Amino acid sequence: MPADLHGLELTTDSDDAAAAYGDCVRAYLGFKLDTGEHLKRTFAADGEMPMALITRGYFFHLFCLPGLEAKAVQSREQAEAAIAQRGATKREKWHLAALAAWNRGDMAAATDQWERILLEYPRDVLALRLSHYSHFYLHGGAAMRQSVGRIMHAWDEGVPDYGYVLGVCAFANEEAGDYAAAEAAGRRAVEINPGDIWATHAVAHVLEMQGRQREGIDWLDGLCGEWGDINNFRFHTWWHKAMYHLELGQHDAVLALYDGEYRAEPTEDYLDVTNATAMLWRLEYLGVDIGERWRELADVAERHSQDAILAFADAHYMMALAKDGRDAAAAQMLAALEQASTGQGSQAKVLAEVGLPVCRATLALAKGDDGSAADLLLPLRDRIWRLGGSHAQRDVWAQMLCRSVMGAGRNQEARALLAQRTAEKPNSPISWRWYAEALAACGDGAAAAEARGRADQLLSG
Ligand SMILES: [Fe+2]
């Protein structure tokens, strides 16, 4: 029985299939455009290889598209049939159980399976990467870091793909708030492989969280030449560069990157849509004219308004519908999400607890009803992480909360929230500006002037 680069046995008689499958997993770790090509090569060598069929099912789920959910189920059924014929290792059967859980929308149970695999097979990079993904949307940074903490003992510089594992370690630590550990791991991974976009992105997050905008721009400028063979994830990394420019008040650069990079193509990929919608929302808070850009996003959002696969994506689709005044589509979407929130899957709970109130607040904001939005968002302020995504991505909802409270004239609450924000983001000029606004509204002119001074000082670099 062939084994992969990490010593894990694969149920196939074909060494070619095992080799192509290894290329596929490595390409997946690297967000490479040719990931699917390697999977096709695998099937050309062995059309019924269990791990290849299971992996295809995982990949279908990762797109978060309703049309591919049935194909993910089909892949699992084919894997079951193949395993009934030729058998499978214990590890492969656990992967099958993970896919079956995901098929029924139980991402938490799927994650439990991957974590079970990792206890015994800490070099199963596929289980590691999928668990990393699932924790990201379901359990938050602490779980991501705990997951990585259980496998690093099995990895060192001499093990193939160590760099990719360091990249996972870096992002997990960043989301858990250990920026020093995250930056060290991420920078080492990029030294090993400058094309490792996940590690590049992990360091970009550290620089975002610490308000090191100018360093962030230089970091990504120095590495973007490596992204020629990267899939849509490169758009998200360009979005990070735009986030630095946004904080520095360089709005033309944000829009140039919007049109030239992270929304240069009108794709349907949910992450691409979240990048664009959340950036337009932020730009409008800063009074930037974003032209007709909502319309194209609202078209995409309308097509996905009934998906209800990932609450994080749904919350962004709602932004586009609300801002483009698609009242009927927004109402239909809300009804679909209410229905979905009564389901049994992991995302149903996320929708019920956080997704729905966030969507309702989004609609209220677009109608100018700041008070209602504030009432909806205020109780969620410490639970918004349940919606999934990164700290940097979720900050759009922290901004919504601050601006809705300010818009409703609730000055004391605004001062408190912005005091918290500037304490957490002392290098954020936007936060100091808003804090100054809130302090002035509370009648504290001296403190407002000091806050404005902090913003000016940061912008003058
Ligand atoms: Fe990110």
Side-chain angles (χ1 to χ4, degrees):
M1 191 180 281
D4 70 8
L5 280 173
H6 308 117
L8 303 173
E9 289 184 328
L10 293 165
T11 303
T12 178
D13 291 333
S14 166
D15 289 334
D16 287 346
Y21 177 74
D23 292 342
C24 170
V25 172
R26 181 170 287 158
Y28 165 60
L29 295 174
F31 292 82
K32 302 289 189 188
L33 281 165
D34 62 2
T35 307
E37 292 305 312
H38 293 302
L39 195 55
K40 279 184 195 153
R41 283 200 299 117
T42 309
F43 286 125
D46 179 353
E48 296 182 346
M49 180 177 155
M51 268 319 294
L53 290 164
I54 293 166
T55 302
R56 188 176 66 188
Y58 289 152
F59 288 174
F60 282 137
H61 278 306
L62 286 170
F63 284 99
C64 289
L65 290 171
L68 298 180
E69 296 285 287
K71 291 191 172 191
V73 172
Q74 211 175 39
S75 294
R76 193 251 305 156
E77 289 167 351
Q78 284 175 268
E80 280 171 352
I83 289 170
Q85 287 281 323
R86 66 168 77 174
T89 66
K90 179 172 69 177
R91 185 183 70 92
E92 289 168 330
K93 288 176 184 167
W94 286 352
H95 269 291
L96 181 68
L99 178 57
W102 205 349
N103 280 172
R104 55 176 193 273
D106 194 344
M107 285 171 75
T111 314
D112 287 345
Q113 285 295 331
W114 294 318
E115 290 295 339
R116 177 188 191 190
I117 290 168
L118 289 167
L119 290 175
E120 203 160 320
Y121 305 96
R123 289 191 184 173
D124 187 329
V125 286
L126 180 66
L128 174 67
R129 191 64 188 75
L130 289 166
S131 197
H132 192 55
Y133 164 86
S134 188
H135 284 312
F136 179 67
Y137 283 114
L138 218 48
H139 302 131
M144 291 170 78
R145 184 167 62 170
Q146 286 156 6
S147 172
V148 170
R150 289 188 288 269
I151 58 96
M152 287 307 288
H153 67 91
W155 292 86
D156 60 48
E157 297 265 347
V159 181
D161 301 318
Y162 175 65
Y164 284 131
V165 172
L166 270 184
V168 169
C169 178
F171 189 59
N173 274 289
E174 184 279 326
E175 286 300 302
D178 189 341
Y179 300 129
E183 187 167 357
R187 286 186 185 273
R188 177 63 193 134
V190 172
E191 271 173 20
I192 294 169
N193 173 14
D196 182 344
I197 199 162
W198 192 245
T200 299
H201 167 258
V203 174
H205 267 269
V206 171
L207 302 176
E208 171 68 30
M209 296 308 291
Q210 296 188 327
R212 294 156 61 188
Q213 298 95 2
R214 294 171 183 87
E215 277 182 78
I217 291 166
D218 290 346
W219 171 249
L220 296 180
D221 276 346
L223 290 163
C224 61
E226 306 284 339
W227 305 342
D229 60 351
I230 302 291
N231 66 22
N232 291 41
F233 190 71
R234 71 187 187 280
F235 297 135
H236 178 69
T237 315
W238 283 116
W239 172 83
H240 274 280
K241 187 173 180 223
M243 288 280 282
Y244 305 128
H245 287 296
L246 184 82
E247 193 65 77
L248 293 172
Q250 297 161 353
H251 303 144
D252 289 348
V254 177
L255 288 173
L257 284 169
Y258 186 105
D259 296 332
E261 300 291 353
Y262 61 94
R263 198 55 188 165
E265 300 167 27
T267 63
E268 302 273 325
D269 180 293
Y270 78 87
L271 184 60
D272 299 350
V273 177
T274 67
N275 298 330
T277 50
M279 188 60 85
L280 291 189
W281 197 285
R282 286 171 167 92
L283 283 164
E284 290 203 321
Y285 274 148
L286 300 174
V288 178
D289 179 0
I290 51 95
E292 301 295 311
R293 290 180 180 82
W294 281 118
R295 186 166 307 156
E296 174 266 326
L297 292 173
D299 287 342
V300 180
E302 202 164 332
R303 285 195 287 279
H304 294 282
S305 59
Q306 309 290 306
D307 288 2
I309 293 176
L310 190 65
F312 179 79
D314 296 328
H316 286 86
Y317 297 146
M318 190 60 94
M319 287 183 205
L321 295 183
K323 283 285 192 175
D324 203 49
R326 311 255 177 131
D327 293 352
Q332 281 171 9
M333 179 171 180
L334 205 56
L337 295 182
E338 280 165 358
Q339 175 66 31
S341 73
T342 63
Q344 297 299 311
S346 305
Q347 287 296 304
K349 296 185 188 78
V350 178
L351 268 180
E353 194 181 330
V354 203
L356 274 169
V358 160
C359 285
R360 291 189 185 109
T362 303
L363 285 170
L365 282 171
K367 297 281 178 211
D369 184 357
D370 290 313
S372 296
D375 289 341
L376 283 158
L377 291 171
L378 204 52
L380 297 180
R381 66 190 182 279
D382 298 323
R383 281 188 291 137
I384 197 75
W385 68 270
R386 290 276 292 125
L387 195 49
S390 66
H391 293 291
Q393 287 170 310
R394 285 191 304 268
D395 192 58
V396 72
W397 293 299
Q399 294 195 9
M400 277 189 194
L401 172 58
C402 291
R403 294 306 317 185
S404 62
V405 170
M406 292 167 85
R410 288 155 58 166
N411 300 331
Q412 305 291 330
E413 288 167 89
R415 178 170 60 183
L417 290 168
L418 285 155
Q420 179 196 349
R421 186 172 177 84
T422 47
E424 289 172 357
K425 299 168 87 71
N427 295 322
S428 159
I430 295 171
S431 303
W432 284 108
R433 282 261 159 83
W434 291 3
Y435 191 27
E437 233 181 282
L439 288 165
C442 288
D444 193 344
E450 197 182 319
R452 261 194 305 277
R454 290 288 294 267
D456 293 344
Q457 199 180 10
L458 288 166
L459 287 173
S460 66

